[in-house]
Amino acid sequence: MAQDGTRASGQTASGQAARAPRVTIADIAEEAGVSVATVSKVLNGHAHVADTTRRKVEALLSGHNYLRRRSRPLRTVGLIDLVINELDSPWSVEVVRGIEETTAQHDSGLVVTAVHGRSADTRRWLDNLIKRGSDGVILAVTALAPAQWRKVEELGIPLVVVDPIGHPDPTIPSVGATNWHGGLAATQHLLSLGHRRIGIITGPEDVLSARARLDGYRAALEGAGLGVDPALEVRGDFHHGTGFSGARQLLALAEPPTAIFASSDLQALGAYDAVRRAGLQVGPDISIVGFDDLPVAAWASPPLTTVRQPLSDMAAMAARIVLQGVDNVLPGDMRRAELATALVERESTAAPRNG
C-alpha cells in the first residue's frame, strides 16, 4: 500500500494487475493533438500527412501496441458497418440478408445500426464507428449531413451507398436499380391491358429512386399519346399508410383511375385496403402494380403484379465492393452500378371492365 492509503497503480482490490483498457483511435488522436481522421490516414498509409505528424502518431501507435487491422491477411476483415433507416420493414430485411450472406462468406463481422432518420442517432453511430475501428461502411437509404459525409470520408475506409436518396456523389461507389425502366414497364403493362386513366402513388420527392419511377410512368403515358394529369399523381412515402390514403384520394376523383401504379409494394398493399373499403375488387375493378417484389407480394390476395427490384443482390454487390476496397483492389471505374428490374405479372392486374 502507498503511504497515503491508496493502492499502488496497476493493482486491483485482490492484488492482481488491472488490465489496461483497449486504446482507441480517438485516444491516440487526443494524445497526439490531432484529429481522428489524421490518425486514420496514418493507419491506412495515406500520403497527405506531414512527416512530423506521421512520426508522432506512429510512435504513439507503437507505444500503445495498437492492433492494426490492415496487418491481417487479405480477405480477412474485422467489421463492416451497415447503416439503415429502419429494421422493421421487408425492404430492410432483404438488404440485411444480402449483406450478411456476403460478409459471412468472407469471415467478416457485420454491425447493423438503425438511425430512423434522426440526426442524433446518426451522430451516435459515427462516434461508435470511430471507436470500433470498422473496416468499411455501407449506407442504405440514409441521408447524412455534409459534415457527416466529410467525417466518414476522412476516416479513409471504404464507403458504399445502396439506393442513394439523392444524386450519388461521383467519388463514392453506389448501387441501385433501373428505377426509370421499372416505372416505364409497370405503366406500359397497364396500358397494354387497355387502361388509359392510370394513377400513381409516388415515393418521397427527394428520393432519387422515387423520382426515376415517376419519370418512367410519365414517359410511358407520353409514349402512348396520353397527357400527364396532375390529379392522378399522389405523393407518398413508400409506406403502407400513404398507399392507403393515396388510393382513397384517387378513388374519390370525379373520374377515378382504372389502375394504380404504387411506387412500392407496401404502398400497393395499402391501396389494396382502400380499394376493398370502397367495395371494389383488386384486379376486376381496379388494377394495382407495385414495386420491389418483396416476398409479401406473392402472398397477397390477389398476388401482386410488381416490378422486381433485386434488393438482396444490390446489397450483396455493395458488400463485395466494400470488401474489395478493404483489400485495395476496388476497380477504378466501379462508382455506380445499376441492377436490372423486371416486371412480375400476377393476378392484381386485368383489363378494365369497360375497356
Side-chain angles (χ1 to χ4, degrees), residues 103-322:
T103 54
Q105 291 170 4
H106 294 84
D107 298 323
S108 302
L110 176 63
V111 178
V112 181
T113 302
V115 296
H116 307 288
R118 297 190 289 259
S119 58
D121 289 345
T122 304
R123 288 194 299 271
R124 189 177 304 113
W125 162 75
L126 277 169
D127 292 339
N128 290 333
L129 172 70
I130 294 169
K131 295 175 183 177
R132 279 194 293 270
S134 294
D135 294 293
V137 176
I138 300 172
L139 295 178
V141 196
T142 300
L144 294 181
Q148 293 169 338
W149 272 114
R150 288 193 298 272
K151 194 170 183 179
V152 173
E153 289 177 304
E154 286 173 355
L155 291 176
I157 61 177
L159 167 66
V160 180
V161 182
V162 177
D163 205 6
I165 287 181
H167 289 286
D169 187 321
T171 66
I172 300 174
S174 65
V175 181
T178 54
N179 290 286
W180 185 89
H181 289 284
L184 182 78
T187 311
Q188 287 180 334
H189 169 65
L190 294 170
L191 290 167
S192 71
L193 293 172
H195 295 279
R196 290 298 177 267
R197 282 190 64 76
I198 302 172
I200 182 172
I201 306 172
T202 74
E205 62 178 351
D206 63 335
V207 174
L208 179 64
S209 60
R211 297 201 303 270
R213 293 169 200 179
L214 174 60
D215 289 343
Y217 157 86
R218 290 171 172 171
L221 294 179
E222 292 168 354
L226 301 174
V228 174
D229 185 349
L232 293 176
E233 297 181 359
V234 178
R235 187 176 302 168
D237 61 3
F238 287 150
H239 292 90
H240 184 282
T242 56
F244 177 78
S245 60
R248 291 193 67 175
Q249 182 177 333
L250 290 169
L251 294 173
L253 293 173
E255 189 179 354
T258 60
I260 296 174
F261 168 36
S263 294
S264 75
D265 287 350
L266 295 181
Q267 285 186 155
L269 296 179
Y272 269 41
D273 291 343
V275 168
R276 289 178 181 132
R277 291 202 186 187
L280 303 172
Q281 289 182 282
V282 174
D285 294 319
I286 183 162
S287 291
I288 296 178
V289 179
F291 202 110
D292 286 328
D293 196 26
L294 300 173
V296 69
W299 308 334
S301 181
L304 175 65
T305 294
T306 187
V307 176
R308 180 175 186 272
Q309 177 177 210
L311 290 170
S312 188
D313 293 341
M314 290 160 53
M317 174 175 280
R320 288 195 297 271
I321 294 173
V322 166

Side-chain angles (χ1 to χ4, degrees), residues 22-23 43 61 64-72:
R22 180 180 178 272
V23 175
L43 281 167
L61 291 169
H64 287 289
N65 295 315
Y66 184 84
L67 177 62
R68 301 184 184 222
R69 296 186 187 277
R70 296 292 187 244
S71 64
R72 298 170 179 168

